[in-house]
Amino acid sequence: MAGADIKPKCMERAKKWSDEVENLYRFQQAGYRDEIEYKQVKHVDMVDRWPETGFVKKLQRRDNTFYYYNRQRECDDKEVHKVKVYAY
């Protein structure tokens, strides 16, 4: 699946926080739409995640620098409306 060029059909903004919105927030901070685009660009099969929460732990940006994330929630309520949720 990482090799296929999958494009989203539509996009909407997140309305309230959830685990999915938290992970999308982390991918979008690193410059990707979501996990699908990250896997396509970086040619990886798995994303590093915190075992306790399942949140993304580490992402590599397009310029090859790394973003490291905490175990706890990082997407504040005031940031939730900025997160884009894509449908495929």
Side-chain angles (χ1 to χ4, degrees):
M1 182 157 133
D5 191 24
I6 300 171
K7 301 283 184 189
K9 292 182 180 160
C10 63
M11 181 277 294
E12 64 180 32
R13 299 281 180 172
K15 303 284 189 262
K16 62 179 186 167
W17 185 90
S18 69
D19 289 352
E20 178 190 10
V21 170
E22 178 67 34
N23 281 327
L24 287 170
Y25 174 77
R26 294 173 186 217
F27 281 108
Q28 290 169 18
Q29 265 197 326
Y32 302 96
R33 276 192 312 260
D34 52 21
E35 186 172 353
I36 295 170
E37 184 184 37
Y38 181 76
K39 288 179 176 180
Q40 286 175 356
V41 172
K42 290 298 173 185
H43 306 290
V44 296
D45 293 327
M46 299 211 20
V47 177
D48 289 337
R49 295 181 181 274
W50 290 105
E52 303 89 2
T53 60
F55 294 152
V56 173
K57 183 177 186 178
K58 174 181 77 173
L59 292 174
Q60 188 175 11
R61 291 183 359 180
R62 293 174 193 260
D63 64 0
N64 293 327
T65 58
F66 286 91
Y67 275 164
Y68 295 92
Y69 298 99
N70 295 324
R71 287 181 179 89
Q72 296 85 16
R73 173 181 175 175
E74 292 196 7
C75 180
D76 295 329
D77 285 335
K78 65 182 179 180
E79 303 288 326
V80 168
H81 73 281
K82 297 177 184 177
V83 176
K84 298 175 182 176
V85 181
Y86 293 91
Y88 292 89

